[in-house]
């Protein structure tokens, strides 16, 4: 049965009146949910699972930008993403040259000792020249704007980290 008219529970086409009543009921449910949210639903949750130099930027940029627009933002850091919140480790994140499709080097050269350090320094130089915020500045900005930066407790225990080593 292929019709353009929605079917009722008994399989018969719905009357226009029944269809209008169903639409009205759904609109009331949506309005009720919006009232419960109280903030127009402007919420964002980001999961940060990678802690390399280049992968620290996306969650922090998204979080600080959304917070600037009034969104309620949570960034959950787990596994290597936890290094972004680790005060000591976040200051020394590296950009991996191996396996990075945007690196203009074959993996055989990118795997040479010191290539990650060189790639990181090149990116840091580009960031400085462009006036782009550093990872530390983005963390500070996120915290100032009320972004909830959460550290995965299980990963803290798994990696044998001390909770005092993380940003408050």
């Amino acid at each position: 049965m292929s019709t353009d008219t929605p079917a009722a529970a008994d399989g018969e086409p719905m009357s226009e009146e029944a269809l209008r009543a169903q639409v009205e009921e759904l609109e009331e449910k949506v309005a009720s949910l919006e009232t419960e949210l109280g903030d127009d639903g402007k919420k964002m949750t980001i999961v940060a699972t990678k802690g390399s130099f280049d992968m620290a930027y996306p969650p922090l940029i998204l979080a600080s930008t959304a917070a600037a627009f009034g969104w309620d933002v949570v960034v959950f850091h787990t596994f290597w993403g936890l290094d972004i919140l680790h005060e000591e480790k976040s200051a020394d994140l590296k950009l991996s040259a191996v396996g990075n499709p945007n690196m203009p080097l074959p993996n055989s050269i990118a795997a040479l000792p010191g290539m990650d350090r060189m790639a990181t320094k090149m990116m840091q130089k580009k960031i400085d020249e462009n006036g782009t915020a550093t990872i530390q500045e983005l963390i500070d900005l996120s915290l100032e704007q009320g972004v909830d930066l959460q550290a995965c407790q299980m990963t803290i225990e798994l990696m044998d980290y001390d909770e005092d080593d993380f940003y408050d």
Side-chain angles (χ1 to χ4, degrees):
M1 176 173 137
S2 174
T3 66
D4 293 326
T5 307
D10 62 4
E12 292 297 316
M14 291 179 77
S15 69
E16 186 175 331
E17 184 178 305
L19 187 56
R20 287 186 191 277
Q22 188 175 18
V23 167
E24 190 175 310
E25 181 184 335
L26 290 171
E27 286 175 342
E28 288 173 7
K29 284 183 181 180
V30 168
S32 170
L33 290 172
E34 287 174 347
T35 302
E36 285 179 29
L37 289 174
D39 59 3
D40 298 330
K42 293 181 179 180
K43 295 183 179 192
M44 179 184 290
T45 300
I46 302 166
V47 179
T49 61
K50 295 180 174 38
S52 61
F53 183 83
D54 54 328
M55 294 309 294
Y57 274 88
L60 295 172
I61 290 170
L62 288 169
S64 59
T65 302
F69 283 101
W71 287 51
D72 182 20
V73 183
V74 174
V75 183
F76 184 77
H77 296 78
T78 188
F79 285 87
W80 308 123
L82 201 57
D83 288 349
I84 299 168
L85 295 183
H86 192 279
E87 289 190 56
E88 184 179 319
K89 291 181 181 281
S90 68
D92 195 35
L93 298 177
K94 300 281 187 263
L95 182 121
S96 179
V98 176
N100 189 332
N102 292 318
M103 282 290 158
L105 302 169
N107 280 336
S108 58
I109 294 175
L112 292 172
M115 292 304 287
D116 285 353
R117 190 173 332 118
M118 184 182 80
T120 302
K121 292 225 181 282
M122 286 173 50
M123 183 57 81
Q124 286 172 329
K125 182 179 181 214
K126 192 169 190 162
I127 285 169
D128 289 344
E129 289 172 352
N130 193 49
T132 302
T134 65
I135 292 169
Q136 179 62 50
E137 290 169 337
L138 286 171
I139 290 170
D140 292 341
L141 178 63
S142 294
L143 291 171
E144 287 170 15
Q145 292 180 336
V147 173
D148 184 5
L149 300 176
Q150 295 183 358
C152 175
Q153 185 63 42
M154 182 193 77
T155 306
I156 290 173
E157 293 169 8
L158 178 69
M159 303 294 188
D160 202 28
Y161 286 148
D162 184 347
E163 289 184 35
D164 295 334
D165 292 339
F166 295 91
Y167 293 99
D168 292 333

